Amino acid sequence: TIMQVLDDNDFIEILRLTYNEGRSSREVAEIIGCSKTTIGSFLRREGGYNEFWEKYDDKPVAAGETKSRRDQLKKLSGKSFVITSAQNNTYVHDGFLSALKVYAEKNDAEIIVGTFHYNKNAYQKSDSYDTECWFDPKIRDYILDEDCELAESLMWCGSLDIIPTAVNPMTGLHSYTGCSSGIFPHAKVQLESLPTGKFSPAKIMYTTGSVTQLNYIQRKAGQIAEFHHMFGALSVTIDDDGDWFVRQLIADSDTGSFHDLDYYYDSDSFTSTGSVEAINWGDVHAAKLDNEVANASWLDSDSMLDKLKPKRQFLHDIFDMEYRNHHSIGNHYFRYKMFVNQTESVKKEIELTSNVIASMDREFSEIIIVQSNHDLALKKWLSEQDYRSDPVNAEFFLELQLASYKAISGNDSSFAVFEYACKSSNEALKDVLFLREDESYQIAGGIECGQHGHNGNNGARGSVRSLQISGSKSNSGHTHSATIKDGVYIAGVSGKLDMGYNIGGSSWSNSHIVTYSNGKRAIITLRDGKWRATNK
């Protein structure tokens, strides 16, 4: 509604918004509720405003508060939310919105939509009217454009208006939420783990994906943003202990339907799928395995493995080589500690590792061991150390060395000493697939799962960037820090968050990747030995 008469308070607010906040005439007019022409005439002191200027010309336009918005956050009362974002002047994806409503009804969840603005000038009617910022009426009841506390240490950053063409939408926002994790409205789906004190949960930053359709300027920035636009949302659940769990809901671009755990949601119903395509466990490190994580993930009767029934399990860094790792083998204090604790036997660590692999064995699931840098440490030990200075391991060392030499003399290029050691230790592993270096293993329409992440391009070290620039989708590990960057998903760690060598702040988390049959994925982070909210 266009205001016909403005009073002195309106004029003061116009000045504050213009000069203190640097708002444009269009933005000020939108806030005040009048036309842009009215704002322009007032600021130019044209017609009818002389009386105001005579009274207030010498008075400063100022404002200030002693408390930030952060100090005044309201706490939402619900225990289940589904959170997405929407762009101005853009129609929603009807199928996706309908599926989200089905999800919300089944899970007793509140739908929240954060908004962002883009290309507002394209919707200006004429010089005499302001830019018309319009949001599809189908989502207006769900819009929450303010910062709120969803749970202890989890913040919804709904007040942020991040342009959808931002390559890294969370740049500069790492400290915005203080010590809390944060959820940001944006058309991309990203996840970034940030360091905290080693014994505190990592701070995780999420972007939501969007419920609105593609609507970008067809130039470079807009075309790139269109490529990375995701019809997506986040499921947020809080259990009776106050622990919160966030996972991605990524929709099919045609239908808007999506998977969440062992259910599939479409525009008018939901069905149980009975299984998922794959789980990439966080790096295992059997000798340093976190028992609570192992119980919740694959040992308990209601574990993630037995609930989701993945067709494939991918294991990274299943071995640790703690007892004779090349990083610490020259440290006599470490060697003495291993002696005192009676943890010097590499053979026993192989047996331990083989038993952990066997504990994941299920009829419904194939196990794939992805060649990783810690697994390769066994071969490095054989190539660099001298059995004569290590009597505890001498016999096992020579056994593996002999097998390696026989493979060389027999031109057996497929031989891998780690696989040989594990399968010799435990017959239950005879059907486990051990991948080789650079061996590809793709699932669900082209997601590469055969790379651990320690090797980069052209012989360089691995990194998120080295995976990202390839343009292909991948599931990997190595960093112990859960990550989603464009098509790259990186799992966390199933081992302990303190492994002795990670000194200082840590971004590690106990996180696994779930891949669905349609190629969509989610990262599930465990909290207090739970992989999902458990309410009594």
Side-chain angles (χ1 to χ4, degrees):
T1 301
I2 302 296
M3 292 179 58
Q4 301 300 318
V5 179
L6 302 181
D7 59 25
D8 284 1
N9 288 332
D10 294 318
F11 296 142
I12 292 173
E13 182 66 0
I14 291 170
L15 292 174
R16 187 187 71 80
L17 292 169
T18 302
Y19 296 114
N20 287 40
E21 295 192 9
R23 305 278 189 134
S24 68
S25 295
R26 290 191 180 94
E27 291 174 321
V28 174
E30 178 184 324
I31 294 170
I32 298 299
C34 63
S35 71
K36 183 184 69 171
T37 303
T38 299
I39 300 298
S41 297
F42 169 71
L43 294 174
R44 291 190 297 270
R45 308 187 186 195
E46 294 176 351
Y49 304 110
N50 292 337
E51 184 177 345
F52 171 84
W53 286 106
E54 288 173 0
K55 288 189 297 182
Y56 290 92
D57 216 4
D58 294 330
K59 294 187 176 182
V61 178
E65 296 182 8
T66 58
K67 290 188 176 181
S68 70
R69 293 180 183 178
R70 185 82 40 74
D71 297 325
Q72 304 171 52
L73 284 181
K74 75 176 182 181
K75 171 90 184 301
L76 300 187
S77 58
K79 285 195 171 183
S80 182
F81 306 91
V82 56
I83 305 177
T84 186
S85 67
Q87 182 175 313
N88 63 293
N89 299 87
T90 306
Y91 295 113
V92 300
H93 189 308
D94 286 321
F96 185 33
L97 180 60
S98 296
L100 289 177
K101 290 180 178 179
V102 171
Y103 179 90
E105 183 176 356
K106 176 187 180 296
N107 295 283
D108 193 22
E110 176 185 349
I111 297 176
I112 294 176
V113 179
T115 65
F116 54 85
H117 295 79
Y118 174 71
N119 193 24
K120 292 194 291 184
N121 289 339
Y123 305 100
Q124 181 178 336
K125 294 181 178 178
S126 71
D127 289 341
S128 60
Y129 289 90
D130 183 31
T131 298
E132 183 179 293
C133 284
W134 174 90
F135 288 95
D136 196 319
K138 295 173 183 176
I139 58 162
R140 287 180 185 170
D141 290 343
Y142 308 125
I143 291 175
L144 182 60
D145 286 339
E146 60 179 295
D147 295 349
C148 301
E149 182 182 337
L150 297 169
E152 185 177 354
S153 77
L154 180 63
M155 180 175 166
W156 162 237
C157 305
S159 68
L160 292 175
D161 188 345
I162 307 171
I163 192 166
T165 53
V167 176
N168 297 303
M170 291 181 284
T171 296
L173 295 173
H174 294 155
S175 61
Y176 181 81
T177 59
C179 295
S180 297
S181 297
I183 296 174
F184 303 89
H186 197 268
K188 278 190 171 186
V189 171
Q190 291 193 348
L191 182 156
E192 186 173 352
S193 298
L194 301 178
T196 58
K198 187 188 302 182
F199 302 105
S200 300
K203 184 168 76 169
I204 303 180
M205 316 298 272
Y206 305 86
T207 59
T208 57
S210 180
V211 73
T212 45
Q213 299 179 27
L214 306 174
N215 183 12
Y216 294 95
I217 299 170
Q218 291 304 297
R219 300 189 67 179
K220 180 180 177 181
Q223 289 165 330
I224 293 172
E226 181 176 275
F227 178 78
H228 291 295
H229 182 108
M230 298 292 289
F231 297 114
L234 293 175
S235 164
V236 179
T237 51
I238 301 104
D239 69 12
D240 290 338
D241 297 322
D243 293 317
W244 52 266
F245 301 83
V246 177
R247 57 184 178 267
Q248 292 71 30
L249 309 174
I250 310 299
D252 177 89
S253 58
D254 292 329
T255 65
S257 304
F258 60 86
H259 289 267
D260 180 49
L261 303 180
D262 55 340
Y263 281 92
Y264 184 70
Y265 297 83
D266 58 30
S267 59
D268 55 16
S269 64
F270 61 89
T271 55
S272 174
T273 59
S275 68
V276 299
E277 185 68 21
I279 295 179
N280 285 65
W281 302 116
D283 291 7
V284 180
H285 297 274
K288 297 176 179 174
L289 185 61
D290 185 304
N291 291 329
E292 284 192 338
V293 172
N295 289 336
S297 299
W298 60 79
L299 291 178
D300 287 348
S301 58
D302 59 345
S303 68
M304 187 172 164
L305 174 59
D306 291 297
K307 177 66 175 176
L308 300 186
K309 293 182 169 55
K311 296 176 183 176
R312 299 173 182 85
Q313 302 174 64
F314 292 92
L315 278 58
H316 292 249
D317 272 340
I318 180 67
F319 191 49
D320 187 77
M321 194 59 179
E322 177 187 24
Y323 302 166
R324 286 295 183 264
N325 191 280
H326 56 277
H327 291 299
S328 53
I329 199 166
N331 185 329
H332 58 93
Y333 295 120
F334 178 82
R335 290 283 296 269
Y336 183 67
K337 180 180 178 181
M338 295 293 101
F339 167 73
V340 170
N341 293 334
Q342 296 184 347
T343 53
E344 292 187 283
S345 171
V346 175
K347 183 176 183 178
K348 286 185 178 179
E349 186 176 347
I350 286 288
E351 292 171 350
L352 169 65
T353 301
S354 300
N355 290 338
V356 170
I357 298 172
S359 71
M360 302 176 183
D361 186 31
R362 302 291 190 278
E363 289 185 0
F364 55 76
S365 188
E366 179 184 9
I367 296 176
I368 299 104
I369 309 293
V370 179
Q371 189 177 88
S372 307
N373 56 307
H374 278 261
D375 303 342
L376 290 169
L378 183 67
K379 181 178 180 181
K380 192 176 184 71
W381 177 59
L382 295 174
S383 66
E384 293 183 351
Q385 299 305 313
D386 187 344
Y387 69 92
R388 292 174 297 180
S389 61
D390 191 0
V392 172
N393 290 301
E395 187 174 337
F396 188 58
F397 184 101
L398 290 170
E399 177 188 333
L400 298 184
Q401 198 73 287
L402 179 60
S404 300
Y405 271 82
K406 283 185 175 180
I408 295 171
S409 65
N411 293 316
D412 183 2
S413 59
S414 66
F415 178 80
V417 69
F418 178 63
E419 177 183 7
Y420 171 84
C422 289
K423 290 188 173 180
S424 299
S425 172
N426 194 323
E427 291 184 358
L429 307 189
K430 60 183 175 59
D431 294 326
V432 172
L433 176 61
F434 286 74
L435 299 181
R436 299 299 187 259
E437 187 172 50
D438 291 335
E439 183 175 353
S440 175
Y441 195 111
Q442 296 187 359
I443 63 171
I447 299 174
E448 179 58 66
C449 296
Q451 302 303 310
H452 174 57
H454 61 300
N455 293 324
N457 301 319
N458 303 316
R461 288 187 177 183
S463 66
V464 177
R465 176 69 174 165
S466 68
L467 295 169
Q468 181 190 1
I469 62 176
S470 72
S472 60
K473 297 177 181 179
S474 65
N475 291 343
S476 65
H478 184 57
T479 69
H480 297 186
S481 302
T483 302
I484 300 175
K485 193 68 175 290
D486 301 334
V488 175
Y489 281 57
I490 299 176
V493 60
S494 299
K496 297 175 181 177
L497 297 180
D498 180 12
M499 293 195 179
Y501 57 82
N502 53 317
I503 307 299
S506 174
S507 57
W508 294 7
S509 65
N510 300 128
S511 301
H512 311 310
I513 304 169
V514 173
T515 302
Y516 301 111
S517 59
N518 63 355
K520 308 305 182 185
R521 293 167 284 175
I523 286 185
I524 294 179
T525 297
L526 284 73
R527 294 181 177 276
D528 291 335
K530 296 171 287 188
W531 65 277
R532 57 179 175 170
T534 53
N535 291 319
K536 301 168 184 175

